[in-house]
Amino acid sequence: QVQLVESGGGSVQTGASLRLSCAASGHTFSGLSMDGLSMGWFRQAPGKGREFLATIGPMNLYTVYASSGEGRFTISRDNAKNTMYLQMNNLEPGDTAIYYCAIMTRFRDGGDYSPRDFDSWGQGTRVAVSA
């Protein structure tokens, strides 16, 4: 079974940029090729629930963003490297959280995703933004 590992977090100041990576250790999930699966990014701030940020379809066919990151965050993937990315620009203190990647197991037409729609979570990477 595939395992996901996030990296790229850190402590930065307001206005900085970070690129998070999500590397998959295997090429299949529940018997399906990773290339054919959608993946996504979530984050969890201290004392809050896990919040959907963005998802990307197989072969970069589509992207969906939550309003919290739209315009500042860009999701992408490189199937040859088995890696997904989240480019985050103009970071704000409100972006402080642990960021997680996961594999989509249920598609929602309206894009209103919850953690229940994803599986095979990574351990997370911490992002701290100071004023």
Side-chain angles (χ1 to χ4, degrees):
Q1 188 75 319
V2 68
Q3 289 188 325
L4 304 179
V5 178
E6 302 94 335
S7 62
S11 297
V12 297
Q13 293 187 325
T14 296
S17 297
L18 284 173
R19 189 176 81 153
L20 306 183
S21 297
C22 171
S25 63
H27 295 275
T28 61
F29 174 76
S30 294
L32 301 174
S33 169
M34 286 293 294
D35 290 353
L37 297 173
S38 297
M39 300 180 67
W41 285 98
F42 284 73
R43 68 184 179 188
Q44 188 163 13
K48 295 188 177 181
R50 199 161 292 192
E51 173 193 16
F52 168 71
L53 293 175
T55 184
I56 186 165
M59 306 304 290
N60 298 294
L61 286 176
Y62 71 84
T63 57
V64 176
Y65 293 92
S67 58
S68 56
E70 198 160 18
R72 298 188 299 126
F73 295 175
T74 303
I75 189 171
S76 63
R77 66 192 293 175
D78 185 337
N79 286 346
K81 296 182 179 180
N82 228 17
T83 301
M84 178 179 64
Y85 304 97
L86 185 68
Q87 176 68 41
M88 305 189 296
N89 298 327
N90 196 20
L91 285 164
E92 306 165 348
D95 296 317
T96 295
I98 299 175
Y99 286 68
Y100 299 91
C101 62
I103 297 170
M104 183 190 293
T105 54
R106 179 166 55 189
F107 176 82
R108 291 190 181 273
D109 206 11
D112 184 20
Y113 290 102
S114 78
R116 294 189 301 272
D117 301 317
F118 289 76
D119 200 352
S120 194
W121 296 87
Q123 85 292 342
T125 185
R126 187 178 301 273
V127 172
V129 185
S130 58

